[in-house]
């Protein structure tokens, strides 16, 4: 995936500019997201268009020196949208202040809708007439950021998701329910691997399940449109528009219909779906039991009904629907309230029947703070109607509550490596040892590669440091000794890398060979941490002496040295970080086979589940994870978490102070 080094800063800058729309329009916060997302849609579509266009033009047939014009079909086959000149973002950005920008954007949307039947009446149009011409011009320029002009669809896909996240965080639409955190969607996709056939989401929101499924298929070097068909249901018309835009901007099409899934099955999917994925609303308590009592999608019967004739909690309606949609080889993965896995009464009876069917594959506990608008924990449920016979009476219990990364004070997610590691446990559960070993091998290979990549920035730091020391009139003995030691340690580090690189190339890549390789690479990982401490210490020594010298001209030199220090340290950090991923897997699964790991995973049989009131709560079975040893304490990660916490508190304090000041002003105080 293409990346921009400062993508996070760009995202925040774009969001800040777009968020000013609220102060310069008649829109409330729950209204302005659609015109903003419409502009991002146009910009993303244009980026993808420009990226694909050269390869299409190179393959176009020509007659008599004339090449035929580009067509919609040329782009559809490449997962992109064909754009007529008036629909191209560059055209809109270059409009003059005297031009009617709102009408031009409307024309662009209509041009796209005329080519794509599934988008007719979907794209925002009339909404732009409410915007001031200058405000719209500023927004267009905002999304034409120079740093993004050469960005690939991957980058704009991330920005698209970032904006969805921010709108969800503001509760801009239905309390943010339209957006499922990417980490959870990716985990569901990784576990059920929706690589063919019909993929259905009966509570599809903005279509994130479909987009991540398509990314999964693309990684297999297949076309999502050729091998899979996406079906969705959603009750909110505005969210349906957003979903169709989200699919289209990724070059996808989906059959999404307006429906209340409690009472309707608009795609008639009973027993037909290859894959079901969803994040339904939790704990709904007003579903009319009379309307659904004979629904064939409830093979295990109704869950509890209250005195008002309503289902007491809709969680098990969703669970039953998802199960019933699957064909005899189908797989399902969905997000569910953590209350559901141990609920009592009639819900427990439904759960018993589910477990006894032999089709519950895995349960995964997720800690709180993964959602953008809710702090509650949740669980991921996985069904598999094609389980291996010897696994029919077993359920994989995976407690992932201790596996997370802090993004902000209020939001957590999985890092790519954490997600891969959790997925590899499912591979072992399925007997796919080779995939597990390939992941471990990739980590060890990356450890060596990252160690080699650290050589150049370290050498640059040492050279600049040497030059700066040479300019100082006086250098204390401690600094001189530390500098000499760093030089010799770096040489030893580089020699070890060269030797282990040769060993790696000839080493066996079976489990025994990888365990042996990891043992040899561990000193490299540990040395990288020691070198970071030495580099940081030396920088502080020299910076202090440069300041105390009182000589002019050292500010820029120390600033340059600091920048090189940061680059070298970042490379060295990566060495140990990646090695630790291999160590995490090998320590827990030394035979490269599934085993019970206290506090993490356990393969539970039906008798144990029965003895626990048919509970499917992972924490009830896996136990408590042992505390990490003190010597493995990650000071830098802890410091980062503290910084995130402090930053979040400061931001909240600033907002609160501004509100208090405003209240005082309104009171005339």
């Amino acid at each position: 995936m293409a990346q921009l080094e400062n993508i996070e800063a760009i995202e925040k800058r774009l969001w800040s500019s777009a968020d000013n729309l609220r102060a310069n329009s008649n829109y409330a916060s729950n209204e302005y997201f659609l015109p903003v997302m419409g502009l991002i849609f146009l910009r993303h579509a244009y980026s993808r268009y420009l990226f694909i266009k050269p390869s299409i033009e190179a393959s176009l047939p020509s007659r008599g020196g004339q090449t035929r014009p580009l067509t919609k079909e040329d782009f559809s086959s490449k997962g992109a949208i064909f754009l007529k000149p008036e629909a191209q973002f560059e055209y809109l950005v270059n409009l003059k202040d005297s031009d009617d920008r709102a009408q031009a954007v409307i024309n662009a949307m209509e041009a796209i809708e005329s080519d794509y039947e599934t988008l007719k009446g979907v794209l925002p149009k009339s909404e732009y007439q409410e915007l001031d011409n200058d405000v719209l011009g500023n927004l267009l320029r905002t999304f034409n950021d120079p740093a993004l002009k050469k960005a690939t669809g991957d980058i704009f896909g991330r920005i698209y998701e970032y904006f969805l996240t921010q709108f969800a965080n503001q509760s801009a639409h239905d309390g943010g329910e339209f957006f499922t955190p990417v980490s959870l969607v990716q985990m569901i996709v990784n576990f059920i691997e929706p690589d063919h056939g019909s993929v259905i989401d009966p509570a599809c929101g903005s279509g994130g399940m479909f987009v991540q499924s398509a990314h999964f298929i693309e990684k297999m070097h297949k076309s999502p449109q050729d091998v899979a068909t996406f079906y969705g249901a959603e009750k909110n018309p505005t969210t349906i528009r957003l979903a169709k835009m989200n699919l289209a901007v990724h070059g996808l099409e989906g059959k999404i219909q307006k429906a209340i899934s409690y009472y309707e099955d608009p795609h008639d999917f009973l027993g037909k779906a290859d894959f079901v994925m969803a994040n339904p609303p939790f704990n709904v308590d007003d579903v009319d039991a009379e309307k659904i009592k004979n629904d064939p999608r409830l093979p295990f019967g109704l869950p509890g009904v209250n005195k008002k004739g309503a289902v007491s909690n809709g969680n098990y309606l969703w669970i039953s629907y998802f199960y019933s949609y699957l064909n005899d080889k189908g797989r399902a993965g969905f997000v569910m309230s953590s209350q559901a896995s141990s609920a009592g009464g009639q819900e427990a009876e439904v759960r018993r029947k589910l477990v006894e069917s032999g089709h519950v594959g895995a349960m995964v506990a997720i800690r709180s703070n993964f959602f953008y608008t809710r702090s509650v924990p949740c669980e991921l449920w996985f069904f598999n109607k094609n389980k291996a016979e010897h696994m029919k009476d077993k359920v994989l219990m995976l407690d992932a509550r201790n596996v997370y990364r802090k993004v902000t004070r209020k939001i957590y997610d999985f890092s790519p490596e954490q997600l891969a590691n959790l997925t590899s446990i499912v591979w072992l559960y399925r007997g796919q040892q080779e995939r597990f070993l390939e992941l471990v091998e990739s980590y060890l290979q990356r450890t060596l590669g990252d160690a080699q990549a650290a050589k150049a920035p370290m050498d640059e730091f040492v050279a600049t440091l040497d030059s700066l020391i040479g300019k100082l009139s006086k250098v204390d003995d401690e600094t001189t000794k530390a500098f000499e030691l760093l030089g010799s340690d770096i040489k030893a580090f580089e020699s070890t890398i060269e030797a282990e690189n040769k060993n790696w190339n000839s080493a066996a890549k079976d489990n025994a060979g990888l365990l042996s390789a990891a043992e040899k690479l561990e000193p490299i990982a540990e040395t990288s941490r020691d070198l970071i401490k030495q580099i940081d210490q030396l920088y502080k020594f020299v910076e202090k002496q440069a300041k105390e010298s009182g000589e002019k001209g050292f500010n820029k030199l120390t600033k340059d040295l600091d920048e090189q220090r940061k680059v070298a340290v970042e490379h060295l950090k990566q060495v140990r970080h990646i090695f630790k991923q291999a160590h995490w897997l090998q320590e827990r699964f030394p035979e490269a086979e599934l085993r019970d790991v206290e506090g993490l995973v356990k393969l539970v049989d039906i008798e144990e589940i029965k003895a626990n009131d048919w509970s499917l709560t992972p924490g009830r079975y896996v136990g408590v994870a042992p505390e990490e040893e003190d010597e493995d304490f990650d000071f830098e990660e802890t410091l980062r978490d503290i910084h995130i916490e402090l930053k979040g508190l400061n931001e909240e304090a600033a907002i609160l102070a501004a509100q208090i000041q405003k209240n005082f002003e309104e009171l005339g105080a």
Side-chain angles (χ1 to χ4, degrees), residues 252-393:
L252 304 170
E253 291 185 6
K255 300 178 181 180
I256 301 173
Q257 294 190 23
K258 184 179 183 299
I260 299 177
S261 291
Y262 293 115
Y263 308 117
E264 303 168 86
D265 176 13
H267 301 292
D268 188 26
F269 249 97
L270 189 66
K272 298 177 183 176
D274 293 293
F275 301 95
V276 174
M277 309 166 64
N279 173 28
F282 298 168
N283 306 320
V284 175
D285 60 2
D286 57 356
V287 181
D288 190 332
E290 186 64 28
K291 288 184 180 180
I292 63 172
K293 64 181 181 181
N294 297 317
D295 195 320
R297 298 177 298 163
L298 299 173
F300 308 118
L302 277 172
V305 179
N306 61 29
K307 294 178 181 179
K308 296 179 181 179
V311 173
S312 304
N313 190 308
N315 291 340
Y316 274 85
L317 294 179
W318 287 112
I319 293 169
S320 297
Y321 295 159
F322 301 153
Y323 177 88
S324 67
Y325 287 139
L326 295 176
N327 61 30
D328 59 5
K329 292 184 178 180
R331 298 195 289 268
F334 53 92
V335 188
M336 184 49 61
S337 165
S338 57
Q339 299 174 21
S341 58
S342 291
Q346 191 60 30
E347 291 173 314
E349 181 63 15
V350 173
R351 189 169 63 250
R352 175 185 69 80
K353 294 175 181 177
L354 268 170
V355 175
E356 289 179 339
S357 75
H359 297 144
V360 179
M363 297 290 298
V364 183
I366 305 293
R367 63 157 296 140
S368 57
N369 292 91
F370 265 70
F371 285 93
Y372 302 105
T373 56
R374 311 168 187 165
S375 61
V376 296
C378 69
E379 283 162 357
L380 305 185
W381 293 51
F382 295 94
F383 296 155
N384 184 357
K385 289 194 175 181
N386 193 33
K387 279 170 71 174
E389 195 61 38
H390 70 284
M391 288 290 186
K392 280 286 179 69
D393 64 345

Side-chain angles (χ1 to χ4, degrees), residues 626-644:
E627 287 189 25
E628 295 284 336
E629 295 181 12
D630 289 341
E631 60 262 28
D632 200 36
F633 176 72
D634 195 331
F635 174 78
E636 291 182 356
E637 184 65 22
T638 302
L639 196 62
R640 177 180 176 274
D641 288 347
I642 292 171
H643 175 72
I644 287 172

